[in-house]
PDB file of all heavy atoms in Angstrom:
ATOM      1  N   LEU A  10     -80.302 234.423 -10.174  1.00  0.00           N
ATOM      2  CA  LEU A  10     -78.901 234.084  -9.848  1.00  0.00           C
ATOM      3  C   LEU A  10     -78.235 233.711 -11.176  1.00  0.00           C
ATOM      4  O   LEU A  10     -77.058 234.190 -11.356  1.00  0.00           O
ATOM      5  CB  LEU A  10     -78.835 232.803  -8.912  1.00  0.00           C
ATOM      6  CG  LEU A  10     -77.489 232.236  -8.663  1.00  0.00           C
ATOM      7  CD1 LEU A  10     -76.588 233.148  -7.999  1.00  0.00           C
ATOM      8  CD2 LEU A  10     -77.679 230.919  -7.931  1.00  0.00           C
ATOM      9  N   PHE A  11     -78.800 233.039 -12.097  1.00  0.00           N
ATOM     10  CA  PHE A  11     -78.237 232.696 -13.306  1.00  0.00           C
ATOM     11  C   PHE A  11     -77.896 234.055 -14.179  1.00  0.00           C
ATOM     12  O   PHE A  11     -76.872 234.173 -14.733  1.00  0.00           O
ATOM     13  CB  PHE A  11     -79.091 231.762 -14.110  1.00  0.00           C
ATOM     14  CG  PHE A  11     -78.828 230.281 -13.909  1.00  0.00           C
ATOM     15  CD1 PHE A  11     -79.148 229.705 -12.661  1.00  0.00           C
ATOM     16  CD2 PHE A  11     -78.209 229.479 -14.811  1.00  0.00           C
ATOM     17  CE1 PHE A  11     -78.823 228.486 -12.420  1.00  0.00           C
ATOM     18  CE2 PHE A  11     -77.848 228.247 -14.582  1.00  0.00           C
ATOM     19  CZ  PHE A  11     -78.153 227.650 -13.423  1.00  0.00           C
ATOM     20  N   LEU A  14     -74.950 235.675 -12.699  1.00  0.00           N
ATOM     21  CA  LEU A  14     -73.732 234.903 -13.153  1.00  0.00           C
ATOM     22  C   LEU A  14     -73.410 235.042 -14.547  1.00  0.00           C
ATOM     23  O   LEU A  14     -72.364 234.518 -15.004  1.00  0.00           O
ATOM     24  CB  LEU A  14     -73.864 233.483 -12.825  1.00  0.00           C
ATOM     25  CG  LEU A  14     -73.926 233.088 -11.263  1.00  0.00           C
ATOM     26  CD1 LEU A  14     -74.283 231.643 -11.029  1.00  0.00           C
ATOM     27  CD2 LEU A  14     -72.613 233.380 -10.630  1.00  0.00           C
ATOM     28  N   LEU A  16     -75.299 233.982 -17.099  1.00  0.00           N
ATOM     29  CA  LEU A  16     -75.766 232.696 -17.788  1.00  0.00           C
ATOM     30  C   LEU A  16     -77.153 232.917 -18.201  1.00  0.00           C
ATOM     31  O   LEU A  16     -77.966 233.667 -17.655  1.00  0.00           O
ATOM     32  CB  LEU A  16     -75.708 231.537 -16.813  1.00  0.00           C
ATOM     33  CG  LEU A  16     -74.305 231.235 -16.314  1.00  0.00           C
ATOM     34  CD1 LEU A  16     -74.399 230.150 -15.157  1.00  0.00           C
ATOM     35  CD2 LEU A  16     -73.425 230.632 -17.457  1.00  0.00           C
ATOM     36  N   PHE A  26     -78.406 223.572 -18.024  1.00  0.00           N
ATOM     37  CA  PHE A  26     -77.233 223.690 -17.306  1.00  0.00           C
ATOM     38  C   PHE A  26     -77.086 222.594 -16.128  1.00  0.00           C
ATOM     39  O   PHE A  26     -75.986 222.026 -16.004  1.00  0.00           O
ATOM     40  CB  PHE A  26     -77.212 225.079 -16.679  1.00  0.00           C
ATOM     41  CG  PHE A  26     -75.949 225.400 -15.898  1.00  0.00           C
ATOM     42  CD1 PHE A  26     -74.872 225.960 -16.453  1.00  0.00           C
ATOM     43  CD2 PHE A  26     -75.903 225.058 -14.444  1.00  0.00           C
ATOM     44  CE1 PHE A  26     -73.797 226.190 -15.724  1.00  0.00           C
ATOM     45  CE2 PHE A  26     -74.776 225.350 -13.698  1.00  0.00           C
ATOM     46  CZ  PHE A  26     -73.627 225.926 -14.377  1.00  0.00           C
ATOM     47  N   HIS A  30     -74.261 219.519 -15.790  1.00  0.00           N
ATOM     48  CA  HIS A  30     -73.211 219.622 -14.865  1.00  0.00           C
ATOM     49  C   HIS A  30     -73.422 218.688 -13.693  1.00  0.00           C
ATOM     50  O   HIS A  30     -72.615 218.726 -12.655  1.00  0.00           O
ATOM     51  CB  HIS A  30     -73.008 221.069 -14.465  1.00  0.00           C
ATOM     52  CG  HIS A  30     -72.484 221.927 -15.424  1.00  0.00           C
ATOM     53  ND1 HIS A  30     -71.246 221.855 -16.025  1.00  0.00           N
ATOM     54  CD2 HIS A  30     -73.110 222.905 -16.187  1.00  0.00           C
ATOM     55  CE1 HIS A  30     -71.144 222.773 -16.955  1.00  0.00           C
ATOM     56  NE2 HIS A  30     -72.235 223.413 -17.076  1.00  0.00           N
ATOM     57  N   LEU A  33     -72.745 216.690  -9.182  1.00  0.00           N
ATOM     58  CA  LEU A  33     -71.503 217.191  -8.571  1.00  0.00           C
ATOM     59  C   LEU A  33     -71.170 216.398  -7.348  1.00  0.00           C
ATOM     60  O   LEU A  33     -72.083 216.019  -6.544  1.00  0.00           O
ATOM     61  CB  LEU A  33     -71.851 218.660  -8.132  1.00  0.00           C
ATOM     62  CG  LEU A  33     -70.668 219.567  -7.723  1.00  0.00           C
ATOM     63  CD1 LEU A  33     -69.606 219.686  -8.957  1.00  0.00           C
ATOM     64  CD2 LEU A  33     -71.224 220.924  -7.298  1.00  0.00           C
ATOM     65  N   ALA A  38     -67.597 221.596  -2.927  1.00  0.00           N
ATOM     66  CA  ALA A  38     -68.454 222.792  -2.659  1.00  0.00           C
ATOM     67  C   ALA A  38     -68.912 223.366  -4.041  1.00  0.00           C
ATOM     68  O   ALA A  38     -68.103 223.336  -4.987  1.00  0.00           O
ATOM     69  CB  ALA A  38     -67.635 223.790  -1.804  1.00  0.00           C
ATOM     70  N   LEU A  39     -70.113 223.815  -4.048  1.00  0.00           N
ATOM     71  CA  LEU A  39     -70.557 224.432  -5.272  1.00  0.00           C
ATOM     72  C   LEU A  39     -69.654 225.321  -5.916  1.00  0.00           C
ATOM     73  O   LEU A  39     -69.319 225.279  -7.148  1.00  0.00           O
ATOM     74  CB  LEU A  39     -71.936 225.069  -5.061  1.00  0.00           C
ATOM     75  CG  LEU A  39     -72.546 225.758  -6.243  1.00  0.00           C
ATOM     76  CD1 LEU A  39     -72.902 224.774  -7.343  1.00  0.00           C
ATOM     77  CD2 LEU A  39     -73.800 226.570  -5.943  1.00  0.00           C
ATOM     78  N   TYR A  40     -69.127 226.270  -5.114  1.00  0.00           N
ATOM     79  CA  TYR A  40     -68.181 227.261  -5.794  1.00  0.00           C
ATOM     80  C   TYR A  40     -66.858 226.771  -6.270  1.00  0.00           C
ATOM     81  O   TYR A  40     -66.177 227.432  -6.970  1.00  0.00           O
ATOM     82  CB  TYR A  40     -68.025 228.515  -4.785  1.00  0.00           C
ATOM     83  CG  TYR A  40     -67.092 228.168  -3.553  1.00  0.00           C
ATOM     84  CD1 TYR A  40     -65.770 228.269  -3.719  1.00  0.00           C
ATOM     85  CD2 TYR A  40     -67.579 227.621  -2.346  1.00  0.00           C
ATOM     86  CE1 TYR A  40     -64.860 228.028  -2.667  1.00  0.00           C
ATOM     87  CE2 TYR A  40     -66.797 227.369  -1.352  1.00  0.00           C
ATOM     88  CZ  TYR A  40     -65.435 227.536  -1.478  1.00  0.00           C
ATOM     89  OH  TYR A  40     -64.630 227.246  -0.356  1.00  0.00           O
ATOM     90  N   ARG A  41     -66.518 225.535  -5.823  1.00  0.00           N
ATOM     91  CA  ARG A  41     -65.309 224.902  -6.193  1.00  0.00           C
ATOM     92  C   ARG A  41     -65.417 224.063  -7.587  1.00  0.00           C
ATOM     93  O   ARG A  41     -64.486 223.520  -8.072  1.00  0.00           O
ATOM     94  CB  ARG A  41     -64.722 223.972  -5.170  1.00  0.00           C
ATOM     95  CG  ARG A  41     -64.251 224.764  -4.015  1.00  0.00           C
ATOM     96  CD  ARG A  41     -63.567 223.862  -3.030  1.00  0.00           C
ATOM     97  NE  ARG A  41     -63.119 224.533  -1.878  1.00  0.00           N
ATOM     98  CZ  ARG A  41     -61.882 225.106  -1.662  1.00  0.00           C
ATOM     99  NH1 ARG A  41     -61.045 225.184  -2.710  1.00  0.00           N
ATOM    100  NH2 ARG A  41     -61.610 225.680  -0.571  1.00  0.00           N
ATOM    101  N   ALA A  42     -66.673 223.949  -7.929  1.00  0.00           N
ATOM    102  CA  ALA A  42     -67.001 223.204  -9.216  1.00  0.00           C
ATOM    103  C   ALA A  42     -66.119 223.686 -10.380  1.00  0.00           C
ATOM    104  O   ALA A  42     -65.915 224.924 -10.507  1.00  0.00           O
ATOM    105  CB  ALA A  42     -68.475 223.164  -9.645  1.00  0.00           C
ATOM    106  N   PRO A  43     -65.651 222.820 -11.261  1.00  0.00           N
ATOM    107  CA  PRO A  43     -64.666 223.281 -12.330  1.00  0.00           C
ATOM    108  C   PRO A  43     -65.332 224.072 -13.493  1.00  0.00           C
ATOM    109  O   PRO A  43     -64.579 224.600 -14.236  1.00  0.00           O
ATOM    110  CB  PRO A  43     -64.169 221.965 -12.789  1.00  0.00           C
ATOM    111  CG  PRO A  43     -65.268 220.989 -12.595  1.00  0.00           C
ATOM    112  CD  PRO A  43     -65.890 221.438 -11.366  1.00  0.00           C
ATOM    113  N   PHE A  44     -66.601 224.153 -13.515  1.00  0.00           N
ATOM    114  CA  PHE A  44     -67.226 224.873 -14.691  1.00  0.00           C
ATOM    115  C   PHE A  44     -67.430 226.305 -14.427  1.00  0.00           C
ATOM    116  O   PHE A  44     -67.954 226.997 -15.372  1.00  0.00           O
ATOM    117  CB  PHE A  44     -68.503 224.165 -15.069  1.00  0.00           C
ATOM    118  CG  PHE A  44     -69.419 223.794 -13.912  1.00  0.00           C
ATOM    119  CD1 PHE A  44     -70.261 224.723 -13.383  1.00  0.00           C
ATOM    120  CD2 PHE A  44     -69.459 222.565 -13.365  1.00  0.00           C
ATOM    121  CE1 PHE A  44     -71.124 224.423 -12.298  1.00  0.00           C
ATOM    122  CE2 PHE A  44     -70.313 222.263 -12.377  1.00  0.00           C
ATOM    123  CZ  PHE A  44     -71.139 223.146 -11.799  1.00  0.00           C
ATOM    124  N   TRP A  45     -67.160 226.891 -13.283  1.00  0.00           N
ATOM    125  CA  TRP A  45     -67.324 228.341 -13.024  1.00  0.00           C
ATOM    126  C   TRP A  45     -66.064 229.136 -13.472  1.00  0.00           C
ATOM    127  O   TRP A  45     -64.947 228.652 -13.496  1.00  0.00           O
ATOM    128  CB  TRP A  45     -67.472 228.645 -11.516  1.00  0.00           C
ATOM    129  CG  TRP A  45     -68.657 227.955 -10.975  1.00  0.00           C
ATOM    130  CD1 TRP A  45     -68.650 227.106  -9.843  1.00  0.00           C
ATOM    131  CD2 TRP A  45     -70.023 228.025 -11.277  1.00  0.00           C
ATOM    132  NE1 TRP A  45     -69.901 226.700  -9.537  1.00  0.00           N
ATOM    133  CE2 TRP A  45     -70.737 227.284 -10.394  1.00  0.00           C
ATOM    134  CE3 TRP A  45     -70.759 228.815 -12.223  1.00  0.00           C
ATOM    135  CZ2 TRP A  45     -72.145 227.160 -10.423  1.00  0.00           C
ATOM    136  CZ3 TRP A  45     -72.121 228.703 -12.292  1.00  0.00           C
ATOM    137  CH2 TRP A  45     -72.830 227.808 -11.462  1.00  0.00           C
ATOM    138  N   THR A  46     -66.297 230.359 -13.941  1.00  0.00           N
ATOM    139  CA  THR A  46     -65.272 231.276 -14.262  1.00  0.00           C
ATOM    140  C   THR A  46     -64.696 231.737 -12.908  1.00  0.00           C
ATOM    141  O   THR A  46     -65.528 231.698 -11.895  1.00  0.00           O
ATOM    142  CB  THR A  46     -65.657 232.498 -15.076  1.00  0.00           C
ATOM    143  OG1 THR A  46     -66.613 233.208 -14.292  1.00  0.00           O
ATOM    144  CG2 THR A  46     -66.441 232.058 -16.385  1.00  0.00           C
ATOM    145  N   PRO A  47     -63.603 232.288 -12.856  1.00  0.00           N
ATOM    146  CA  PRO A  47     -63.015 232.872 -11.569  1.00  0.00           C
ATOM    147  C   PRO A  47     -64.000 233.909 -10.941  1.00  0.00           C
ATOM    148  O   PRO A  47     -64.202 233.922  -9.743  1.00  0.00           O
ATOM    149  CB  PRO A  47     -61.742 233.530 -11.945  1.00  0.00           C
ATOM    150  CG  PRO A  47     -61.319 232.725 -13.107  1.00  0.00           C
ATOM    151  CD  PRO A  47     -62.520 232.395 -13.865  1.00  0.00           C
ATOM    152  N   ALA A  48     -64.665 234.750 -11.737  1.00  0.00           N
ATOM    153  CA  ALA A  48     -65.566 235.756 -11.217  1.00  0.00           C
ATOM    154  C   ALA A  48     -66.804 235.115 -10.690  1.00  0.00           C
ATOM    155  O   ALA A  48     -67.317 235.449  -9.612  1.00  0.00           O
ATOM    156  CB  ALA A  48     -65.906 236.742 -12.339  1.00  0.00           C
ATOM    157  N   GLN A  49     -67.242 234.064 -11.352  1.00  0.00           N
ATOM    158  CA  GLN A  49     -68.530 233.332 -10.891  1.00  0.00           C
ATOM    159  C   GLN A  49     -68.220 232.619  -9.569  1.00  0.00           C
ATOM    160  O   GLN A  49     -68.947 232.713  -8.632  1.00  0.00           O
ATOM    161  CB  GLN A  49     -68.983 232.375 -11.849  1.00  0.00           C
ATOM    162  CG  GLN A  49     -69.630 232.994 -13.105  1.00  0.00           C
ATOM    163  CD  GLN A  49     -69.836 231.952 -14.228  1.00  0.00           C
ATOM    164  OE1 GLN A  49     -69.044 230.916 -14.366  1.00  0.00           O
ATOM    165  NE2 GLN A  49     -70.749 232.210 -15.061  1.00  0.00           N
ATOM    166  N   ARG A  50     -66.999 231.999  -9.467  1.00  0.00           N
ATOM    167  CA  ARG A  50     -66.544 231.271  -8.328  1.00  0.00           C
ATOM    168  C   ARG A  50     -66.466 232.229  -7.117  1.00  0.00           C
ATOM    169  O   ARG A  50     -66.942 231.903  -6.018  1.00  0.00           O
ATOM    170  CB  ARG A  50     -65.208 230.658  -8.633  1.00  0.00           C
ATOM    171  CG  ARG A  50     -64.689 229.765  -7.462  1.00  0.00           C
ATOM    172  CD  ARG A  50     -63.481 229.027  -7.909  1.00  0.00           C
ATOM    173  NE  ARG A  50     -63.841 228.044  -8.845  1.00  0.00           N
ATOM    174  CZ  ARG A  50     -63.384 228.033 -10.223  1.00  0.00           C
ATOM    175  NH1 ARG A  50     -62.521 228.957 -10.507  1.00  0.00           N
ATOM    176  NH2 ARG A  50     -63.718 227.090 -10.973  1.00  0.00           N
ATOM    177  N   SER A  51     -65.841 233.379  -7.311  1.00  0.00           N
ATOM    178  CA  SER A  51     -65.660 234.431  -6.353  1.00  0.00           C
ATOM    179  C   SER A  51     -66.992 234.895  -5.671  1.00  0.00           C
ATOM    180  O   SER A  51     -67.238 235.005  -4.530  1.00  0.00           O
ATOM    181  CB  SER A  51     -64.820 235.570  -6.784  1.00  0.00           C
ATOM    182  OG  SER A  51     -64.682 236.510  -5.852  1.00  0.00           O
ATOM    183  N   LEU A  53     -70.022 233.292  -5.942  1.00  0.00           N
ATOM    184  CA  LEU A  53     -70.705 232.317  -5.199  1.00  0.00           C
ATOM    185  C   LEU A  53     -70.117 232.148  -3.756  1.00  0.00           C
ATOM    186  O   LEU A  53     -70.816 231.960  -2.849  1.00  0.00           O
ATOM    187  CB  LEU A  53     -70.652 231.013  -5.972  1.00  0.00           C
ATOM    188  CG  LEU A  53     -71.445 230.910  -7.307  1.00  0.00           C
ATOM    189  CD1 LEU A  53     -71.118 229.774  -8.133  1.00  0.00           C
ATOM    190  CD2 LEU A  53     -72.932 230.977  -6.946  1.00  0.00           C
ATOM    191  N   LEU A  70     -79.542 225.950  -6.178  1.00  0.00           N
ATOM    192  CA  LEU A  70     -78.743 225.447  -7.228  1.00  0.00           C
ATOM    193  C   LEU A  70     -77.861 224.317  -6.817  1.00  0.00           C
ATOM    194  O   LEU A  70     -77.683 223.221  -7.389  1.00  0.00           O
ATOM    195  CB  LEU A  70     -77.851 226.576  -7.861  1.00  0.00           C
ATOM    196  CG  LEU A  70     -76.908 226.162  -8.980  1.00  0.00           C
ATOM    197  CD1 LEU A  70     -77.665 225.575 -10.110  1.00  0.00           C
ATOM    198  CD2 LEU A  70     -76.151 227.415  -9.365  1.00  0.00           C
ATOM    199  N   LEU A  74     -77.622 220.420  -8.232  1.00  0.00           N
ATOM    200  CA  LEU A  74     -76.497 219.800  -8.809  1.00  0.00           C
ATOM    201  C   LEU A  74     -75.976 218.644  -8.085  1.00  0.00           C
ATOM    202  O   LEU A  74     -75.194 217.906  -8.614  1.00  0.00           O
ATOM    203  CB  LEU A  74     -75.400 220.985  -9.009  1.00  0.00           C
ATOM    204  CG  LEU A  74     -75.657 222.019 -10.005  1.00  0.00           C
ATOM    205  CD1 LEU A  74     -74.705 223.195  -9.865  1.00  0.00           C
ATOM    206  CD2 LEU A  74     -75.511 221.365 -11.379  1.00  0.00           C
TER     207      LEU A  74
END
Side-chain angles (χ1 to χ4, degrees):
L10 175 62
F11 271 69
L14 292 170
L16 298 169
F26 179 92
H30 296 293
L33 193 57
L39 178 64
Y40 73 89
R41 292 187 184 272
F44 44 80
W45 301 120
T46 67
Q49 290 168 331
R50 183 174 293 115
S51 177
L53 291 167
L70 177 58
L74 285 169

